[in-house]
Amino acid sequence: MIAVRLQSLNDFDEWRGKARQLLAAGLSPENVAWRIPGEANGLFEGGDAMLPEAAGPIGSVPRQFIELAQTAINHADPARFDLLYRVLWRLQEVPQLLLNAADKDNSTLTLMASAVRRDSHKMKAFVRFKAITDDTGFERFAAWFEPEHYSLELTAPFFARRFDGMVWAIVTPYRSVYWDTQTLVFAEGGRRTDVPEVDAVEEDWRTYFSSIFNPARLKISAMKSEMPVKYWRNLPEAELIAPLVRGARQAEQQMIERAASQPPSRHVKQTEKYAQAAEAQSEITSLADARAAVQGCRRCPLYEHATQAVFGEGPEHAQVMFVGEQPGDQEDLAGQPFIGPAGKVLDAAVEKVGIDRSRVYVTNAVKHFKFEPRGKRRIHNKPDAGEIQACKFWLNLEIGFVKPKVIVALGATAAHSLLGRTATISKLRGAPITMEDGTVLFVTNHPSYLLRIPDPERKALEREKFEQDLVLVRDAIAALEACH
């Protein structure tokens, strides 16, 4: 048996050079023993001088093996070199070996690489540098860490990238590394006493740890899993863990009491919204002010795509107000309500039943056009409850300034806005509804509904019902005028 001596604990290039030499000589794993510095050869083992000078061809191996081997060679298991050479030897005969997850050598190699990666992750998480300042004021940093595997070389580049402007050193039992802001220099291992016990940065760590400790989410087993106890002695904040855990219940109760005295975030937002609305309303003292102010409305997202807000039109003190749903495509472009096909249907019906159109104020529950782009066309999209509620501010201003005696809700959206709830037209039409302020409300279909009915006979029937609703409106207006 040949004893192959390595000068390093985890130098992959050194191991690979020796392994290639063995492979070329045809020495099987059973005939090779790997030795590290300080380890004596066995009684019947030949030294490196017995290595044959073979230079024969060797086969290639998958890239996956190189990557696994570069990581697994940092494992602390003394058998890692034997395993690596055994897998390398078998790959010459079975190139697909690494695809066999059930293979013992393959799974062991994978587990070794995973353990090293976890160890590297722990080093990144639990290294705590301590400041060292010399007589000239020059500041350097040093840290002591005890990795489970030989993972310092694998992890040091991470610290070089993270703290590239600092001069620092990490000391471990088997090796140390020094960074001068330019180069990583590895040297022999050290002792815990090589690093200062305390420094001013530790107080910052303790303060930070105390501030992020959440007693309501305390799970000791999970904490120990993520922050193993074996690392605690090197963590300045670890001394706080025990008292924080003991006081967790009381701290949680105090946190609950503090939270109970604070309003929920949605309440704060709602309060701010009402305050803004009140402030905006206080600046609007006339219908003209409201008409100008609505162009700056940002109460809902509809303003983002509409051409402009479309405010109501008509006499400032009209007795009758017709409220539709929202502007249509033509209204959006022109900035005027009820000038499209639906407006023409309304005008014809109003004239037919004898209502003076010039004395009617017309508007919409929602002031911005909501649509869905479809090719070159903008297709009407019904406003949702939030958009109706957001725009109620402007409709209330119109009602407040115009002070109509009769309001006609054209369609379900308008009825929803005026009644503050979802409305069914068939259940509400045909009878006046007296509002809290004494205004009389009538509910009927929107004239655009009549346009969408394909059957002529049914369309005529619905138009007649629509006109009958307007007759009720006409009669209500006449009754009001008779009272004055």
Side-chain angles (χ1 to χ4, degrees), residues 405-406 432 440 442 470-482:
K405 303 297 184 185
V406 176
V440 176
F442 289 91
L470 295 185
V471 168
L472 296 177
V473 175
R474 181 200 62 192
D475 294 345
I477 297 172
L480 289 171
E481 291 176 343

Side-chain angles (χ1 to χ4, degrees), residues 307-322:
T307 304
Q308 58 193 311
V310 179
F311 206 60
E313 280 189 350
E316 187 167 347
H317 300 294
Q319 284 190 316
V320 184
M321 175 181 288
F322 282 82

Side-chain angles (χ1 to χ4, degrees), residues 68-69 71-73 75 77 79-84 86-87 90 97-98 100-118 149:
L68 278 173
T71 305
I73 201 170
H75 200 279
D77 189 337
R80 61 190 180 281
F81 302 114
D82 300 286
L83 173 65
L84 288 173
R86 188 162 61 251
V87 174
R90 294 179 62 197
L97 174 65
L98 297 182
N100 183 6
D103 183 83
K104 184 178 179 181
D105 284 344
N106 185 19
S107 61
T108 303
L109 183 62
T110 302
L111 290 174
M112 278 187 172
S114 298
V116 170
R117 283 193 287 269
R118 283 198 300 273
H149 302 287

Side-chain angles (χ1 to χ4, degrees), residues 225-301:
S225 174
E226 293 298 320
M227 189 176 179
V229 175
K230 66 181 179 183
Y231 298 118
W232 288 16
R233 58 183 174 177
N234 297 323
L235 303 177
E237 67 271 26
E239 62 185 44
L240 299 174
I241 294 176
L244 286 172
V245 171
R246 285 196 299 272
R249 184 178 295 277
Q250 181 180 0
E252 183 181 7
Q253 184 59 37
Q254 292 173 348
M255 189 173 67
I256 293 172
E257 292 173 353
R258 285 197 301 273
S261 65
Q262 297 173 353
S265 58
R266 68 176 186 278
H267 176 80
V268 175
K269 291 179 181 178
Q270 196 76 346
T271 302
E272 292 175 350
K273 182 178 177 181
Y274 288 151
Q276 291 173 357
E279 182 179 357
Q281 191 166 10
S282 67
E283 298 172 353
I284 298 173
T285 58
S286 67
L287 195 62
D289 288 345
R291 189 186 307 279
V294 74
Q295 297 303 331
C297 181
R298 301 292 185 270
R299 292 170 179 271
C300 75

